[in-house]
């Protein structure tokens, strides 16, 4: 299949592609015939995700790297360019949090760690990939934010909420800068998705969370991947700087 909805043959980098939403994006891209580089700091998960992509008939590469490190982001881009000669789609999915410390107990190191994983990583990877996208004549950057970046949600981490709101500002500002070159930059803000990490984090309060969601259920990682896929296709060329909320109606803007 070719045309406005096809990313067949395109080269995509998915940070945090080893689990949860990132893994669903890897699978979706692979099933669409894209070539996929899985960047994850967990080597085993990244390798397993790349293997799943190959099982779906795609070319895939696993790169063990911290997306929040400039050196790692640069090395990852070099590996992609040596494998396939181009980079056209970047999904900044690396991130998450594990602690929800209140303000007065929050360590500075935890702030720095979470902001690096969730926000600085998107800047560093975009900085590496954008020149390649311009050379390729095709560019799509999709940044994964969160409902926690849209409104105050107590059950998430403070630096995480700040970083995910920062993703929205990064998305809009970068969208304006890259628009003349045809590279689009958009954000997807998921609500609750029961990845292994999040299922464990919220296991004692799921009924209360479901009660706040008009659809009364968590989203599937594949449902987030559907939105990411659309914003990666040729058909989304005139959409840039937007945030697409995928949350079962829990937050509307
Ligand atoms: N699950 C949810 O409910 C939810 C909701 C909103 C947003 N999100 C966002 O979606 C993204 C994926 O979360 P998830 O819960 O689906 O998956 P997850 O947390 O289960 O897995 C994330 C993967 O990313 C990797 N990773 C994390 N930081 C990294 C880094 N700096 N460099 C390289 N790899 C890194 C981890 O090793 C892991 O394999 C995150 O950005 C998260 O903030 C998740």
């Amino acid at each position: 299949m070719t045309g406005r909805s096809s990313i067949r043959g395109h080269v995509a980098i998915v940070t945090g592609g080893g689990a949860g939403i990132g893994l669903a994006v890897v699978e979706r891209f692979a099933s669409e015939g894209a070539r996929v580089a899985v960047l994850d700091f967990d080597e085993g998960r990244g390798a397993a995700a790349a293997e799943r992509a190959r099982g779906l008939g795609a070319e895939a590469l696993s790169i063990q790297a911290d997306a929040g490190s400039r050196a790692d982001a640069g090395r990852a881009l070099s590996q992609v360019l040596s494998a396939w000669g181009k980079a056209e789609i970047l999904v900044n999915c690396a991130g998450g949090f594990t602690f929800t410390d209140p303000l007065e107990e929050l360590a500075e190191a935890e702030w720095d760690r979470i902001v690096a994983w969730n926000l600085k990583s998107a800047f560093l990877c975009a900085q590496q990939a954008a020149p390649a996208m311009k050379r390729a004549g095709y560019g799509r950057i999709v940044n994964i934010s969160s409902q926690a970046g849209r409104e105050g949600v107590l059950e998430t981490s403070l630096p995480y909420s700040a970083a995910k709101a920062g993703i929205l500002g990064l998305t809009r500002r970068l969208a304006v800068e890259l628009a003349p070159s045809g590279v689009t930059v958009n954000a997807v803000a998921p609500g609750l998705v029961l990845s292994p990490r999040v299922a464990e984090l919220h296991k004692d309060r799921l009924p209360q969370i479901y009660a706040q969601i008009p659809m009364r259920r968590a989203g599937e990682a594949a449902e987030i991947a559907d939105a990411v896929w659309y914003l990666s296709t040729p058909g989304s060329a005139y959409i840039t700087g937007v945030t697409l909320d995928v949350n079962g109606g829990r937050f509307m803007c």
Side-chain angles (χ1 to χ4, degrees):
M1 186 181 68
T2 56
R4 298 177 66 74
S5 61
S6 174
I7 55 170
R8 180 166 295 281
H10 283 305
V11 172
I13 302 168
V14 183
T15 76
I21 293 167
L23 175 58
V25 171
V26 167
E27 292 174 338
R28 179 65 195 264
F29 281 4
S31 66
E32 296 286 340
R35 289 173 270 183
V36 194
V38 184
L39 188 160
D40 204 295
F41 56 29
D42 185 311
E43 194 168 13
R45 282 189 202 159
E51 199 48 49
R52 297 245 306 246
R54 285 185 209 103
L56 291 164
E59 291 179 45
L61 193 64
S62 162
I63 302 171
Q64 192 279 324
D66 178 354
S69 145
R70 172 182 294 276
D72 281 16
R75 175 173 54 79
L77 199 269
S78 301
Q79 279 183 247
V80 171
L81 293 180
S82 14
W84 295 313
K86 60 179 183 173
E88 299 165 299
I89 300 168
L90 169 66
V91 182
N92 283 312
C93 193
F97 67 94
T98 41
F99 302 108
T100 55
D101 301 339
L103 175 66
E104 291 171 35
E105 289 161 34
L106 182 65
E108 184 181 352
E110 174 68 358
W111 174 279
D112 290 344
R113 187 175 75 98
I114 294 301
V115 172
W117 286 5
N118 287 279
L119 178 58
K120 188 178 175 190
S121 58
F123 150 62
L124 290 173
C125 293
Q127 190 177 48
Q128 289 298 327
M133 292 179 183
K134 291 178 188 170
R135 284 196 301 276
Y138 188 91
R140 300 283 183 270
I141 298 174
V142 185
N143 296 320
I144 304 300
S145 177
S146 168
Q147 186 188 343
R150 300 289 255 167
E151 61 175 350
V153 181
L154 197 56
E155 65 259 20
T156 63
S157 130
L158 181 59
Y160 177 78
S161 296
K164 291 302 194 186
I167 280 284
L168 305 184
L170 173 77
T171 297
R172 289 189 285 263
R173 169 61 179 76
L174 193 56
V176 173
E177 181 173 330
L178 296 180
S181 58
V183 174
T184 67
V185 188
N186 293 293
V188 170
L192 181 73
V193 174
L194 296 179
S195 63
R197 175 185 62 86
V198 169
E200 172 62 25
L201 201 63
H202 296 316
K203 64 177 186 298
D204 298 329
R205 52 187 166 211
L206 283 178
Q208 294 93 305
I209 298 178
Y210 288 159
Q212 297 164 22
I213 304 172
M215 289 191 188
R216 301 283 182 260
R217 67 170 176 89
E220 300 290 332
E223 292 174 314
I224 313 301
D226 285 338
V228 173
W229 162 78
Y230 173 63
L231 292 171
S232 303
T233 61
S236 66
Y238 203 53
I239 300 174
T240 198
V242 309
T243 299
L244 185 51
D245 294 294
V246 187
N247 58 29
R250 192 175 174 193
F251 173 84
M252 301 176 191
C253 185

